[in-house]
Amino acid sequence: MAAVPNIDFIDLKAQRRHIGQAMDDAIMEAVHGGSYILGPQVKEFEDKLAAFCGAKHAIGCANGTDAIALPLMALKLRPGHAVICPSFTFAATAEVVAWLGATPIFVDIDETTYNLDPRTVGLAMDTARKAGLEVKALIAVDLFGQPADYDPLEAFCKETGIVLISDSAQGFGATYKGRVTGSIGDFATTSFFPAKPLGAYGDGGAIFTANDEHHEILRSLHVHGRGTDKYDNVRIGVNSRLDTIQAAVLLQKLAVFAEEIDKRQVVARRYNDGLADVAITPKVMDGCISTWAQYVIRIDAAKRDGFIASLRAKGVPTAIYYPKPLHRQTAYKSFPVAGNGLPISDLVSHEVVALPMHPYLDAVTQDYIIEAARDALRGSAAAA
Ligand SMILES: *Cc1c(COP(=O)(O)O)cnc(C)c1O
């Protein structure tokens, strides 16, 4: 039997080799520069990041969770307020709403894109009315790197007078009908957690807005609510800054990011070609480009454990995003759901499996993964 290979789920070392000495130089320059908090690299990165997606303002912050919390603080979210969001997402999306004492209202997703189903968001307004809550905002998530369906969501937010926040922690840099995520929504947010498509060497995040007044408030909020005089704080804020060293790392990564998004398309296409006849492969909406934060297939729920074990035995790591939608989790199950439950979120949580995905996944390794996946599905089909 051939030796089991050691395949990474996300190979950050390959990216590091690709960027090479420039990364070491950038980090050492930040170290020797001595301006560790809000040094010049932070401003340079914010400007380049805003330019990358076509946003007017980008504000660095400590992580992708704070990046969603800060706009909600700017909106003065408080108890009695509600925010519409998906349940099939990472906890941070709803967590920040609850931090501020407000209520997340969970809405179901579209079965083909796994993003908020615009046809069902209206149900959340009824849920809020019945619960005596005032809806202030909707948080759309660009799940697995694919932009949410923003045209109908924007129309809905405009019609109902609520704020649209785009949680693009996974999808920053994706394209929605000619627009780049980060520039969509009243606020957009992203995370630089290392495993995200644009990741740092630690925690980091950013907020985007086109509104000058919101921009000023966010600049103040993320540094303790400071006013024009550093020692006259004008509001209650937090300490949430992007580190200078992380900004230096991110400047190097941003320089290769467009090229990496292209490479991710090639990897996703190879998976689609190799697996479409044995699993439900992901579909990207017409006119959109995903950043492929995750490559997620769906298989029969009863076969998932066996599939994962079979791949593991062959050295192929997998992950499940997400095994439990938020409305099923201990901390979140008391919050309201729109309509009569979230059947699609429940269904897909039992069927999804993510395969290794990163821009530097070579064809030989990927062919091995595809073969292992095909074998596992054939094997379990025979056993069934
Ligand atoms: C990762 C992630 C976040 C939070 O980012 P952190 O930087 O880890 O705080 C928020 N929303 C979604 C959808 C994410 O995937």
Side-chain angles (χ1 to χ4, degrees):
M1 203 176 129
V4 173
N6 186 13
I7 299 170
D8 287 306
F9 189 68
I10 296 175
D11 188 353
L12 293 171
K13 296 183 294 289
Q15 184 197 47
R16 186 166 159 68
R17 283 193 297 275
H18 179 71
I19 299 174
Q21 188 63 36
M23 180 62 88
D24 300 45
D25 293 347
I27 293 170
M28 286 321 288
E29 196 186 318
V31 170
H32 292 307
S35 191
Y36 303 127
I37 298 293
L38 299 181
Q41 288 90 338
V42 175
K43 171 83 169 78
E44 185 187 347
F45 176 64
E46 287 173 339
D47 290 347
K48 288 190 170 155
L49 192 69
F52 186 91
C53 65
K56 187 166 183 196
H57 304 288
I59 302 123
C61 64
N63 55 65
T65 305
D66 286 2
I68 317 169
L70 285 157
L72 295 178
M73 289 175 72
L75 296 172
K76 298 193 161 71
L77 200 74
R78 56 178 159 73
H81 291 161
V83 174
I84 302 170
C85 66
S87 170
F88 192 64
T89 177
F90 182 62
T93 309
E95 181 183 31
V96 291
V97 175
W99 272 4
L100 298 168
T103 305
I105 298 179
F106 296 118
V107 175
D108 215 355
I109 51 167
D110 177 273
E111 191 174 343
T112 50
T113 63
Y114 311 127
N115 279 326
L116 268 186
D117 184 345
R119 292 165 305 185
T120 64
V121 287
L123 295 171
M125 301 307 276
D126 301 331
T127 308
R129 210 172 297 122
K130 281 181 201 139
L133 298 167
E134 184 191 350
V135 179
K136 281 288 186 187
L138 179 147
I139 305 176
V141 176
D142 300 333
L143 202 73
F144 306 148
Q146 163 148 233
D149 193 2
Y150 285 108
D151 283 344
L153 293 177
E154 283 175 323
F156 172 78
C157 288
K158 202 166 169 202
E159 190 188 304
T160 53
I162 65 174
V163 168
L164 176 62
I165 299 174
S166 160
D167 173 358
S168 206
Q170 301 179 16
F172 175 75
T175 302
Y176 178 80
K177 301 180 182 178
R179 292 188 284 166
V180 178
T181 56
S183 71
I184 305 176
D186 297 295
F187 298 93
T189 70
T190 194
S191 162
F192 304 123
F193 182 81
K196 309 282 178 176
L198 182 61
Y201 286 170
D203 278 312
I207 311 155
F208 306 88
T209 182
N211 182 307
D212 295 338
E213 194 189 333
H214 283 157
H215 173 237
E216 283 311 309
I217 294 171
L218 292 169
R219 287 263 169 231
S220 162
L221 278 174
H222 92 122
V223 187
H224 305 289
R226 72 176 170 196
T228 42
D229 174 345
K230 181 172 170 185
Y231 292 104
D232 181 28
N233 293 303
V234 296
R235 54 175 66 79
I236 305 296
V238 293
N239 174 7
S240 184
R241 296 177 289 234
L242 180 66
D243 286 348
T244 303
I245 291 178
Q246 297 304 341
V249 167
L250 285 161
L251 276 165
Q252 296 304 312
K253 294 229 200 177
L254 186 63
V256 299
F257 189 46
E259 168 195 324
E260 288 187 346
I261 293 174
D262 288 347
K263 287 184 174 149
R264 287 172 181 272
Q265 309 310 313
V266 176
V267 175
R269 212 171 302 130
R270 283 201 301 248
Y271 270 140
N272 285 346
D273 291 345
L275 296 171
D277 60 328
V278 290
I280 300 175
T281 48
K283 313 253 175 328
V284 176
M285 284 183 299
D286 287 344
C288 296
I289 300 169
S290 175
T291 59
W292 297 104
Q294 303 295 345
Y295 184 86
V296 173
I297 59 170
R298 268 167 68 200
I299 59 173
D300 193 333
K303 293 173 185 165
R304 189 167 67 176
D305 287 349
F307 176 78
I308 290 169
S310 167
L311 262 66
R312 191 187 305 120
K314 290 179 177 164
V316 179
T318 57
I320 298 178
Y321 305 110
Y322 295 90
K324 246 188 200 192
L326 294 176
H327 73 288
R328 298 282 176 203
Q329 296 186 16
T330 307
Y332 296 93
K333 62 186 173 206
S334 61
F335 293 117
V337 299
N340 297 319
L342 310 178
I344 308 297
S345 302
D346 283 329
L347 172 77
V348 303
S349 65
H350 294 111
E351 299 183 344
V352 284
V353 185
L355 299 176
M357 178 78 203
H358 60 86
Y360 305 95
L361 185 57
D362 64 89
V364 173
T365 307
Q366 196 178 359
D367 286 344
Y368 175 87
I369 296 168
I370 290 168
E371 261 332 292
R374 294 187 67 85
D375 272 355
L377 289 167
R378 268 197 298 266
S380 59

